Amino acid sequence: MYTSFQPHLTQELEAIKTAGLYKKERIITSAQQAVIKISTGEEVLNFCANNYLGLSNHPELIKAAKEALDTHGYGVSSVRFICGTQDLHKELEAEISQFFGMEDSILYAACFDANGGVFEPLLDENDAIISDALNHASIIDGVRLCKAQRYRYANAHMEELENCLKLAQAQRFRLIVTDGVFSMDGNVAPLDKIYALAQKYDAMIMIDESHSAGVVGKTGRGTTEQFDLRGKVEIITGTLGKAFGGAIGGFTTGKKEIIAMLRQRSRPYLFSNSIPPSVAAAGIKMFQMMAQTSALQDKLHENTAYFTEKMMAAGFDIKPTQSAICALMLYDAKLSQEMAAKMLEEGIYVIGFYYPVVPKGQARIRIQISAGHERAHLDKAIAAFVKVGRELKVIT
Ligand SMILES: *Cc1c(COP(=O)(O)O)cnc(C)c1O
């Protein structure tokens, strides 16, 4: 069979390359941090990691992980409900609940799994899921696994959401699901308005805080903090793989009966391994650090404000952001690739995105700011953007 399957794949792969959509991996030979070493031996400033709080290589997290290797071993060789629950997993779940102001939490190997395993155990064909069109792929996949009626509204479009809610009155239970921060624009979901509509049309709310947890809100508690709605939504999902240390792991936190049902019926939880104790221990340490101080959030917010202000003053078209994601709009796919390549020559690592990752004619460079960036890093990046921007006639 493979003799006919192989040319089929080769052809498909060629088609991906011809369309300019072939993804390559860039090899990094250092730890993940503001200054990284790439395989050519060069050092570059990293502005494309989800390392929003600069914790990916934090000495306290490394220390906690190392200690757990000695006290709790390397792996657990089990799913949670057989023999894969250590005290560390329970402690981490308690920390997550406290951080988000929710009743209980459940860990997954990744947020992809949290989203994949949240809908099907809770809702069936009598119910409705109302989803933002720009929600993450894992939400889309999770919704596909569930028999509930599906409704979709344009990104953050509240009239469309209201129309969906009207139609969904035909169903028994309604769940609105949204990303907290949308990864391409950096915009925050209008949770105040979503909440008002949920009240009016009797619906529950789920937020995926993957890009917003640790970042959005004065102390980084996410969109529910930003809109003063802590504890008012039913479900929050998130990842330990972005601001929270960047290793691996996901979670769902929410109403205690919801979490209890997920422990009974959520397939990625029941049929996939527990996270390693070293990861759980570092996660606990991270939440303990967050509980003591929000200095990292303050620095991140300062850095983001500084960077966007300077870039706009230089004449760049930057989308207004309430997160740590800054979209530099170029509107031209080729230009976005050229600019990213030239920025790398200047020692700044950023990525240009174009269709189909963003809508046609909306090509851009996405810049991700971190608390791990020092003022000198930001200044160097801004200077490089100005130089390259002038060369490419993006600014005058
Ligand atoms: C990154 C991301 C995920 C996936 O998180 P993992 O823990 O890496 O699987 C899910 N949802 C959103 C919104 C994300 O940005």
Side-chain angles (χ1 to χ4, degrees):
M1 185 82 254
Y2 198 65
T3 48
S4 55
F5 191 55
Q6 188 190 37
H8 164 74
L9 286 185
T10 308
Q11 201 182 354
E12 296 272 296
L13 287 165
E14 277 310 316
I16 296 173
K17 280 181 191 157
T18 310
L21 300 174
Y22 197 82
K23 293 176 199 67
K24 289 199 200 97
E25 293 170 350
R26 205 179 284 267
I27 315 267
I28 292 164
T29 55
S30 67
Q32 183 61 274
Q33 53 198 1
V35 184
I36 53 170
K37 212 170 186 180
I38 54 179
S39 51
T40 55
E42 283 164 285
E43 284 196 339
V44 297
L45 284 178
N46 193 0
F47 281 88
C48 55
N50 302 315
N51 184 21
Y52 296 123
L53 297 175
L55 293 173
S56 303
N57 194 29
H58 195 284
E60 289 291 322
L61 303 196
I62 294 169
K63 183 161 162 268
K66 280 181 178 167
E67 279 170 12
L69 280 168
D70 290 333
T71 57
H72 288 69
Y74 172 64
V76 289
S77 303
S78 172
V79 299
R80 288 286 300 279
F81 80 96
I82 297 181
C83 56
T85 299
Q86 291 171 318
D87 48 357
L88 295 173
H89 297 102
K90 297 312 291 180
E91 274 174 53
L92 178 55
E93 286 175 344
E95 291 287 352
I96 291 168
S97 308
Q98 201 169 18
F99 184 88
F100 289 98
M102 303 295 256
E103 292 173 3
D104 197 5
S105 303
I106 176 173
L107 292 172
Y108 289 85
C111 187
F112 207 104
D113 291 321
N115 287 335
V118 70
F119 302 105
E120 185 259 348
L122 300 173
L123 303 170
D124 66 23
E125 60 274 16
N126 299 305
D127 307 317
I129 298 170
I130 305 153
S131 182
D132 189 291
L134 287 192
N135 278 343
H136 190 261
S138 54
I139 293 178
I140 295 167
D141 285 7
V143 171
R144 280 191 190 135
L145 294 171
C146 174
K147 293 201 171 66
Q149 295 287 322
R150 299 167 200 169
Y151 297 88
R152 207 167 74 133
Y153 60 97
N155 179 228
H157 197 303
M158 292 298 102
E159 288 91 70
E160 282 194 21
L161 171 58
E162 183 159 15
N163 285 338
C164 293
L165 284 163
K166 283 178 185 162
L167 294 170
Q169 295 305 305
Q171 278 80 45
R172 178 183 55 172
F173 302 125
R174 285 160 290 284
L175 177 65
I176 303 167
V177 51
T178 181
D179 282 11
V181 161
F182 295 91
S183 65
M184 285 298 144
D185 286 0
N187 58 317
V188 174
L191 189 59
D192 50 346
K193 299 190 178 78
I194 293 173
Y195 182 77
L197 287 172
Q199 295 293 101
K200 184 171 174 194
Y201 292 97
D202 197 23
M204 300 181 283
I205 299 174
M206 167 179 150
I207 314 169
D208 179 341
E209 295 274 36
S210 289
H211 277 290
S212 33
V215 172
V216 169
K218 192 166 173 5
T219 69
R221 264 61 177 172
T223 45
T224 59
E225 179 184 19
Q226 173 106 341
F227 291 102
D228 206 11
L229 288 167
R230 257 171 89 75
K232 298 281 177 63
V233 303
E234 283 73 20
I235 303 171
I236 290 174
T237 60
T239 181
L240 301 174
K242 291 188 171 111
F244 289 160
I248 192 81
F251 55 84
T252 301
T253 182
K255 300 290 183 198
K256 59 182 191 296
E257 298 80 7
I258 289 177
I259 304 303
M261 185 54 81
L262 295 178
R263 284 191 207 283
Q264 298 308 309
R265 299 251 173 93
S266 180
R267 293 163 72 83
Y269 174 82
L270 293 173
F271 300 107
S272 189
N273 211 22
S274 305
I275 61 169
S278 54
V279 170
I284 295 164
K285 183 73 202 176
M286 186 274 307
F287 282 113
Q288 288 169 346
M289 284 162 53
M290 303 273 111
Q292 278 167 12
T293 167
S294 47
L296 289 176
Q297 278 78 15
D298 295 344
K299 189 172 171 199
L300 175 61
H301 296 152
E302 271 170 37
N303 279 355
T304 310
Y306 179 81
F307 181 83
T308 49
E309 239 167 67
K310 294 269 171 186
M311 289 288 283
M312 286 194 279
F316 286 110
D317 179 0
I318 304 274
K319 284 213 173 198
T321 183
Q322 294 169 293
S323 66
I325 294 169
C326 303
L328 191 182
M329 300 307 293
L330 297 168
Y331 307 100
D332 181 273
K334 193 156 156 279
L335 180 59
S336 73
Q337 298 312 293
E338 244 170 47
M339 188 159 191
K342 278 186 177 280
M343 288 299 291
L344 194 62
E345 284 169 21
E346 300 295 321
I348 310 294
Y349 187 15
V350 287
I351 303 281
F353 291 95
Y354 55 97
Y355 182 80
V357 181
V358 295
K360 271 211 171 95
Q362 294 282 307
R364 68 196 63 188
I365 298 236
R366 181 176 74 172
I367 302 133
Q368 291 175 286
I369 305 294
S370 170
H373 291 135
E374 300 304 333
R375 191 52 68 86
H377 296 146
L378 300 176
D379 286 336
K380 187 175 172 201
I382 295 160
F385 271 116
V386 169
K387 177 169 180 254
V388 171
R390 284 191 184 134
E391 276 170 29
L392 295 175
K393 308 223 173 347
V394 174
I395 53 169
T396 48

